[in-house]
Amino acid sequence: MADGRPFVPPSAVDVDLSAVGWGQSRTMSDFETGMWRMEEVEPELRTPIVAVDVLDRAPDWERLVQAHEWASHIVPRIRMRAVEPAFGLGNPMWSVDPEFDLDYHLRRVRLPEPADLDHALRICRHLATEPFDKARPPWMALLIEGLDDGRAVYVVKTHHSITDGMGGIQMMALLHSRRAEPTPNKPDRLPAPPEHLSDISALYEEVLDGIRRTPRRIAGLVSGTVRTAVAAVTSPFDAAGEALDYAGSLLRVVTPPPATGSPLLRERGLGRWFGILEVGLPELKAAAHAAGGSVNDAYVAALLGGFRRYHEELGVPIGKIPMGMPISMRAAADPSGGNRIAAVRFAGPATEVNPAARIRKVRAIVLALREEPALDIVEAAAPLLVRLPNRLLATWYLSQSKGLDMQASNVAGVPVPVYLAGARIERMFPFGPAPGCAVMATMVSHVGTCCIGVNLDTAAVTEPALFMRCLQEGLDEVVALGTVTEGAGDE
């Protein structure tokens, strides 16, 4: 879930290259390392982030290629591959690929006639399910042309170890322009020189970096220990209370949601199906306001309403839905790129028939979860978890994620019109990874429209078209709350 602040991309001529800090870290974090390695032993845990731009027409191909080349100059991470240190002793290191080939990462395809957006989405989901070549930078982009209405689709797939959703929006903004015309005078710099980093060299750098970090870690540990001791002596009751509060929060955060998963959604597999929904941002805001909630509350309530309708259609009783929600932990001073997210789990009130009451229940749950002191426990525990054998780590993660019927994410989007190589971007549909859960829904706002991408595990959701129709009905009933309020106010 985003912090609610829309991301306004700078004009290309205003880009301050000295301030571009996207993906500066040389080494993967422990959290990112876990995502990178778990999928090696468990393909269900692949974590591609897929962004689908719907364009009003096909962009100029040469300009598109040049835009990617330029972006790779100002963001060196685009040219970097991950190098595992020898014997797995340490975290992977980012290194400029000595054989970087833009033609491998950026491709184009023309759909056979007749073709529409659904055909393009099939290509997108096929791209999403293909594993990355981990000897290369872990991203792919594809331009899909040939839609009957003259539109085109641009899709980018990025490994989650590179960035979270908000970081992805920041990176995509480098390719997007505030104008349709070319920008010949935008700042540039030479691409990062190629590196020939071996696994032994990566291990050597990891050891040296560990030695450099040791004094800071010891100082931080000593400082923290002293502060804790002083607090315990000077304010023993306050210190004890804080410790008990954190212990209680930790128990609430790590305990699975008090809900049993749907019998319809128990299976898990590698098949994926992409569906899309859209709704006006003002309409969703009006509905949320009418029920006393936020846009995110209304969005989640609409998804839960769709879940209930799907089960009713198939004649299966439904209880509360065990679900998860990523929450952005980014601060304004944090560098671009990377991963700064925490995750919460809760029982979604899908049994609540009244959409307004459902919104209020979602709001109460989410507000309470955001205040949990132990919210970032997974990140805090990552240094220990990532040291487990990959098989054990993957098994543990699946045991947590397979119990979730849905994950819902909401990322602040772009509020102003943007272009890609001369083509106007009409919609931006995000598709988050679904590692172990049945349904992953992600919403991004774009110029007044909420674009919702739904990534379904087809082993769990065996009737995807019906499921999407039910989600649309759930969205419609929530939006109707705002319409009723407006009508009442006009009388």
Side-chain angles (χ1 to χ4, degrees):
M1 183 169 62
D3 57 12
R5 294 172 297 176
F7 181 78
V8 181
S11 172
V13 295
D14 297 328
V15 173
D16 180 4
L17 297 186
S18 65
V20 175
W22 202 94
Q24 285 186 334
S25 176
R26 171 76 161 173
T27 306
M28 279 190 195
S29 70
D30 294 319
F31 177 70
E32 293 160 350
T33 298
M35 290 190 291
W36 181 258
R37 289 176 176 168
M38 284 190 298
E39 65 185 39
E40 294 295 328
V41 296
E42 191 52 73
E44 287 182 38
L45 295 179
R46 291 173 184 157
T47 55
I49 295 177
V50 179
V52 175
D53 288 350
V54 180
L55 313 175
D56 68 337
R57 60 188 177 88
D60 181 276
W61 177 250
E62 291 303 319
R63 281 181 61 186
L64 187 63
V65 172
Q66 292 169 8
H68 284 76
E69 179 68 29
W70 176 79
S72 76
H73 293 182
I74 64 173
V75 182
R77 180 59 50 83
I78 293 175
R79 290 176 170 260
M80 290 182 175
R81 59 186 180 130
V83 178
E84 286 277 7
F87 314 114
L89 299 177
N91 296 355
M93 304 195 72
W94 293 107
S95 174
V96 180
D97 185 358
E99 300 180 82
F100 178 75
D101 180 6
L102 185 58
D103 289 339
Y104 172 83
H105 295 277
L106 174 61
R107 306 174 187 180
R108 67 193 298 193
V109 64
R110 175 168 289 275
L111 295 173
E113 298 180 359
D116 57 19
L117 185 56
D118 285 340
H119 291 93
L121 287 175
R122 293 178 196 173
I123 301 295
C124 294
R125 80 168 187 251
H126 290 322
L127 177 69
T129 55
E130 294 175 357
F132 285 102
D133 179 353
K134 290 194 170 181
R136 300 175 182 266
W139 68 272
M140 294 290 295
L142 178 67
L143 175 63
I144 305 173
E145 302 172 280
L147 275 67
D148 293 342
D149 55 9
R151 295 188 297 175
V153 167
Y154 169 78
V155 53
V156 178
K157 179 180 75 166
T158 309
H159 197 281
H160 208 327
S161 62
I162 293 181
T163 185
D164 54 25
M166 193 63 235
I169 291 289
Q170 294 166 340
M171 181 177 70
M172 292 288 286
L174 294 171
L175 291 172
H176 298 158
S177 173
R178 298 280 294 275
R179 48 184 280 178
E181 299 76 20
T183 309
N185 58 337
K186 60 187 177 184
D188 199 355
R189 60 186 175 198
L190 293 175
E195 299 176 296
H196 296 270
L197 186 70
S198 68
D199 58 346
I200 297 296
S201 299
L203 176 60
Y204 178 71
E205 285 196 29
E206 181 77 12
V207 171
L208 287 181
D209 189 50
I211 293 173
R212 285 193 295 266
R213 291 197 306 261
T214 297
R216 294 197 301 271
R217 287 178 172 175
I218 292 175
L221 179 62
V222 170
S223 175
T225 301
V226 170
R227 286 196 302 271
T228 301
V230 171
V233 171
T234 59
S235 305
F237 294 106
D238 290 344
E242 289 178 4
L244 289 175
D245 287 345
Y246 188 86
S249 174
L250 180 61
L251 182 62
R252 290 189 295 272
V253 169
V254 302
T255 301
T260 303
S262 164
L264 284 179
L265 308 175
R266 284 178 181 163
E267 298 299 321
R268 298 291 186 271
L270 297 178
R272 296 292 181 264
W273 198 92
F274 281 3
I276 58 175
L277 302 168
E278 59 181 79
V279 61
L281 179 57
E283 288 79 5
L284 195 58
K285 280 184 176 179
H289 179 73
S294 68
V295 167
N296 187 73
D297 302 328
Y299 158 61
V300 174
L303 296 174
L304 291 170
F307 263 76
R308 191 192 73 253
R309 289 170 180 269
Y310 180 70
H311 285 74
E312 289 174 350
E313 286 279 351
L314 296 179
V316 176
I318 188 174
K320 292 183 178 180
I321 292 291
M323 61 177 294
M325 180 182 294
I327 293 180
S328 175
M329 304 295 285
R330 286 183 182 273
D334 286 342
S336 304
N339 287 270
R340 291 288 293 124
I341 55 174
V344 295
R345 298 179 297 172
F346 58 95
T351 54
E352 176 55 67
V353 176
N354 186 301
R358 197 183 318 131
I359 290 174
R360 290 191 288 271
K361 288 183 177 181
V362 169
R363 181 164 185 76
I365 292 170
V366 173
L367 286 179
L369 288 170
R370 287 184 67 88
E371 298 301 320
E372 289 287 3
L375 187 61
D376 61 348
I377 184 58
V378 172
E379 181 177 355
L384 297 176
L385 293 173
V386 79
R387 304 300 173 233
L388 297 174
N390 290 345
R391 170 62 65 183
L392 187 59
L393 177 59
T395 300
W396 171 81
Y397 189 91
L398 274 178
S399 71
Q400 303 297 306
S401 61
K402 276 190 172 182
L404 300 178
D405 285 347
M406 177 174 67
Q407 291 198 56
S409 179
N410 175 14
V411 181
V414 180
V416 296
V418 286
Y419 299 83
L420 182 66
R424 181 170 57 86
I425 299 175
E426 295 183 337
R427 298 288 186 270
M428 295 181 180
F429 289 105
F431 295 91
C437 66
V439 177
M440 177 68 197
T442 310
M443 182 172 76
V444 166
S445 57
H446 177 68
V447 197
T449 299
C450 295
C451 304
I452 304 171
V454 185
N455 185 359
L456 305 177
D457 184 328
T458 53
V461 183
T462 56
E463 301 287 343
L466 172 62
F467 186 83
M468 290 304 301
R469 177 169 65 80
C470 292
L471 288 187
Q472 181 65 62
E473 293 172 357
L475 187 60
D476 291 342
E477 73 169 356
V478 164
V479 170
L481 294 172
T483 305
V484 170
T485 302
E486 290 178 1
D490 294 337
E491 294 177 357

